[in-house]
Amino acid sequence: MSWRPTYRSSKFRNVYGKVANREHCFEGIPITKNVHDNHFCAVNNKFLAIVTESAGGGSFVVIPVTQFGRIDPHYPKVCGHQGNVLDIKWNPFHDNIIASCSEDSSVRIWEVPDDGLRRNLTESVLELYGHSRRVGLIEWHPTTSGILFSAGYDYKILIWNLEIGEPVKMIDCHTDVILCMSFNTEGSLLATSCKDKKLRVIEPRSGKVLQEANFKNHKVNRVVFLGNMKRLLTTGVSRWNTRQIALWDQEDLSMPIIEEEIDGLSGLLFPFYDADTHMLYLAGKGDGNIRYYEITLEKPYLQYLMEFRSPAPQKGLGVMPKHGLDVGACEVFRFYKLVTLKGLIEPISMIVPRRSETYQEDIYPMTPGTEPALSADEWLSGINRGKDLLKLIEFMSVCTHLGPVLMSLKEGYNRPNKLVFKAPVKEKKGGVVNGIDLLENVPPRTENELLQMFFRQQEELRRLKDELTQKDIKIRQLELELNNIRNTSHNLDPSHNCAM
């Protein structure tokens, strides 16, 4: 048999990255210099949010995505946090709602006006306190309105029901700082990577760990669910300190399906997965390049396609949702690259080269839209659209899909969202989850609160010292009385008197 080279046909083998012209970039933004391993960037089809460098608290700017060019140094900011902002995420179902978390141990929900900010926004819609240490990660549930996940440096994940403004569940199975959270398509499973070098697949409503992996050969840093393929992909470091990726079966984490070394650089590898095209993008923190692959269920599972190169290093990357892409230009993915040294945000479009100007249905399948599949109460009660067949039949009149509500990009997406976010009216009270009062150990938020807590603790110490002194005196009195009783009984003993 004659030798033949292996060739695999793919419609995405010629995908290329195109950087926006300078006039379509965002300049003059004081991007944060925080070394926390996050993107510090969030984008949707209306706004671009960037965490900024600031003194005396944390802040981020929110800019309309069409407002290109140089940003005024005094541009209004969202600046209500007392500590550095560590993560920001737009609500997938409300274009004007953004969540942020901070070193001040709080999570806050903000509502941005349709025309953007005219002055500094200091009042949040909701302030969520439950973590005892700083909060490093937040994630919105992919199919449910009003459910937010937060992971703190207290090693806990809290599930917030924003319809009541309270935590409804605490996941307490990690032994170190949580590095990454990722949901499957329908949001019924949560994958986490942790500083304890373990990869976990968790059922979020019960907090039960379904699968757990711990390997010395592959130190997991980031994890992402690969859509409906029942696969997980992790990025990490090998035992020889080379960057590598691993592919896993989500139902069996005993061994990875494949492991592949990338290079010997030290920057963290961020994975981005496009479930519509089955393409994986790998971008290293501090690198200037973005590698992309195509993932299949058959061998070799991971097919390298191409690499986008740039001389400017990236601090983080924001990703535009599908309904915000330029369908006419065959754009299948768009990054917003943070270049700290230049204070620059560069849009990078990943484009499939096609000659035809008509709609390319093969590269734009039905994709998750901006309508939630479930309410918060429905999801908390145990409903999974696409898994519970009885519930699927019950909802058949309004639900003919599996997982999220899907939409087509063929005619563009200009429908206004009918959902309105309403903040609950909350009273100051303790939040008890799993029998634990989450607000008992919440740290002070301002200098006055810190002084008040200090004086309260000093007063408590004085009270305890006085109480201890009184008990010592009482003990000595009781000891003296006991000695007197013993002496009296000894003198009245007849046998003692006869012996004398």
Side-chain angles (χ1 to χ4, degrees), residues 87-270:
D87 198 10
I88 50 177
K89 293 281 169 54
W90 288 105
N91 189 318
F93 310 114
H94 301 270
D95 289 338
N96 298 67
I97 301 297
I98 187 170
S100 63
C101 63
S102 167
E103 289 182 349
D104 63 8
S105 77
S106 73
V107 178
R108 301 194 183 203
I109 311 298
W110 311 86
E111 184 169 12
V112 180
D114 284 327
D115 56 351
L117 298 179
R118 299 298 181 187
R119 57 182 178 272
N120 285 349
L121 181 61
T122 57
E123 294 295 326
S124 58
V125 177
L126 273 177
E127 294 184 21
L128 307 174
Y129 290 95
H131 290 281
S132 59
R133 297 182 66 187
R134 58 180 173 167
V135 186
L137 287 172
I138 47 176
E139 289 288 346
W140 293 94
H141 193 273
T143 62
T144 306
S145 62
I147 293 291
L148 181 71
F149 285 62
S150 64
Y153 277 63
D154 52 5
Y155 313 157
K156 295 176 175 61
I157 296 176
L158 295 182
I159 305 176
W160 301 89
N161 183 354
L162 302 186
E163 293 179 1
I164 61 173
E166 298 290 343
V168 292
K169 180 67 184 177
M170 179 174 66
I171 301 174
D172 190 13
C173 60
H174 299 86
T175 59
D176 211 324
V177 177
I178 299 148
L179 302 176
C180 183
M181 296 187 291
S182 177
F183 288 98
N184 64 346
T185 303
E186 62 186 14
S188 61
L189 296 176
L190 174 69
T192 64
S193 61
C194 183
K195 209 170 181 179
D196 62 9
K197 303 179 182 179
K198 291 184 179 180
L199 171 65
R200 296 175 174 88
V201 175
I202 302 167
E203 205 291 310
R205 282 168 293 211
S206 66
K208 181 181 178 182
V209 179
L210 304 178
Q211 293 286 330
E212 186 176 283
N214 183 14
F215 291 98
K216 297 179 181 179
N217 296 346
H218 179 71
K219 179 185 175 183
V220 175
N221 288 325
R222 288 292 184 271
V223 59
V224 61
F225 265 102
L226 302 182
N228 289 321
M229 301 177 74
K230 294 190 175 180
R231 297 281 193 270
L232 290 168
L233 185 126
T234 59
T235 65
V237 181
S238 70
R239 63 168 67 181
W240 298 280
N241 285 330
T242 58
R243 297 194 297 189
Q244 66 175 186
I245 57 177
L247 190 66
W248 309 79
D249 183 345
Q250 73 179 39
E251 296 178 353
D252 181 13
L253 300 183
S254 58
M255 285 293 290
I257 298 172
I258 59 167
E259 290 178 327
E260 184 170 321
E261 292 192 4
I262 303 300
D263 55 35
L265 300 179
S266 58
L268 181 69
L269 272 179
F270 292 112

Side-chain angles (χ1 to χ4, degrees), residues 441-458:
N441 298 317
V442 171
R445 304 190 294 271
T446 64
E447 186 176 351
N448 287 334
E449 289 184 5
L450 180 63
L451 288 173
Q452 290 174 7
M453 179 175 285
F454 172 76
F455 290 133
R456 283 199 303 269
Q457 289 177 343
Q458 293 297 313

Side-chain angles (χ1 to χ4, degrees), residues 329-378:
C330 295
E331 184 184 30
V332 292
F333 216 73
R334 188 192 302 166
F335 293 101
Y336 285 78
K337 175 180 174 178
L338 277 61
V339 184
T340 308
L341 297 178
K342 300 179 181 179
L344 178 69
I345 313 297
E346 275 186 340
I348 302 173
S349 299
M350 312 307 294
I351 296 174
V352 179
R354 295 283 175 93
R355 291 185 179 180
S356 175
E357 296 181 358
T358 59
Y359 179 72
Q360 308 294 308
E361 197 163 355
D362 60 328
I363 62 175
Y364 294 114
M366 297 288 285
T367 190
T370 58
E371 297 179 18
L374 297 168
S375 68
D377 291 337
E378 287 174 332

Side-chain angles (χ1 to χ4, degrees), residues 275-294:
D276 296 341
T277 61
H278 304 297
M279 287 181 65
L280 171 74
Y281 300 87
L282 293 180
K285 185 177 181 181
D287 299 356
N289 58 348
I290 300 174
R291 299 175 177 88
Y292 36 104
Y293 303 76
E294 190 172 7

Side-chain angles (χ1 to χ4, degrees), residues 7-63:
Y7 175 79
R8 181 177 173 275
S9 175
S10 170
K11 67 185 79 169
F12 303 110
R13 67 181 180 273
N14 294 320
V15 169
Y16 65 96
K18 181 181 179 181
V19 181
N21 297 329
R22 195 62 181 242
E23 58 267 21
H24 290 97
C25 295
F26 304 84
E27 300 182 68
I29 300 175
I31 301 170
T32 180
K33 295 181 175 64
N34 196 310
V35 296
H36 190 69
D37 287 330
N38 263 344
H39 294 292
F40 302 109
C41 175
V43 63
N44 60 20
N45 64 327
K46 289 178 69 174
F47 298 109
L48 171 67
I50 307 292
V51 179
T52 57
E53 189 72 12
S54 61
S59 65
F60 58 95
V61 294
V62 176
I63 308 165

